[in-house]
Amino acid sequence: IPRTAVRQESGFYQKLKTLIQKNKPKWIITRLETWALPGVPDLLICDGAGKLHLVELKFTTSKVVALSPHQVSFLVKHKKASVWIMVYKSQVRKSNEQEVFLYHGKDAVDVRMEGLEIEPVYYADATKDWSDILNLISKK
């Protein structure tokens, strides 16, 4: 994974963490660094009701979503659970063009193959408040 993508994904995580702390203060967010278990999503979220949700974070500057085969396998295998792919898209030269897409894990194969062409569960201009995404995650 290119270093730039890792830094951008880390920035995306920080934005999401801040959003959760502001809008859902009872939620607990844990960043998973699972080098020993490839494919496990980046975040484990425990919502206010005690339900667990897994979220794979991705950053892109194009329509391509770089899910690894291990990530796709994990997401599809756990498709009945609350597993999500959250993609942050930013234009390299236009900082005002930022978008966030939310996909359910069951769509991982399609997202890997067709990227952002797949209809998301949720879409928003990332420069606006997109806290509705948290409500969608916790409904599953």
Side-chain angles (χ1 to χ4, degrees), residues 9-66:
E9 189 175 291
S10 180
F12 179 29
Y13 164 71
Q14 291 301 325
K15 285 181 186 210
L16 180 61
K17 182 179 172 185
T18 300
L19 181 72
I20 289 173
Q21 290 170 341
K22 177 182 173 189
N23 294 289
K24 304 284 187 180
K26 293 184 179 181
W27 284 26
I28 300 166
I29 184 169
T30 303
R31 185 125 190 222
L32 303 174
E33 298 294 337
T34 54
W35 303 108
L37 298 169
V40 175
D42 299 311
L43 303 179
L44 175 64
I45 298 172
C46 181
D47 68 22
K51 293 181 182 176
L52 297 176
H53 313 278
L54 289 164
V55 181
E56 178 62 41
L57 299 178
K58 288 296 174 187
F59 176 87
T60 188
T61 57
S62 67
K63 293 185 183 238
V64 175
V65 179

Side-chain angles (χ1 to χ4, degrees), residues 12 15 19 59 87-90 95-101 122-131 133:
F12 179 29
K15 285 181 186 210
L19 181 72
F59 176 87
V87 183
Y88 188 87
K89 181 181 179 199
S90 179
S95 62
N96 62 337
E97 288 188 27
Q98 300 170 349
E99 303 163 292
V100 65
F101 300 79
Y122 180 83
Y123 165 82
D125 176 336
T127 61
K128 295 187 172 57
D129 180 16
W130 38 276
S131 58
I133 203 166

Side-chain angles (χ1 to χ4, degrees), residues 4-6 8 14 17 21 23 43 49 68 71 75 78 86 88 98 100 102 111-112 114-115 122 133-134 136:
T4 304
V6 171
Q8 298 293 353
Q14 291 301 325
K17 182 179 172 185
Q21 290 170 341
N23 294 289
L43 303 179
S68 75
Q71 290 167 332
L75 293 163
H78 296 86
M86 196 179 304
Y88 188 87
Q98 300 170 349
V100 65
L102 181 69
V111 173
R112 176 180 161 90
E114 299 180 42
Y122 180 83
I133 203 166
L134 302 177
L136 284 171

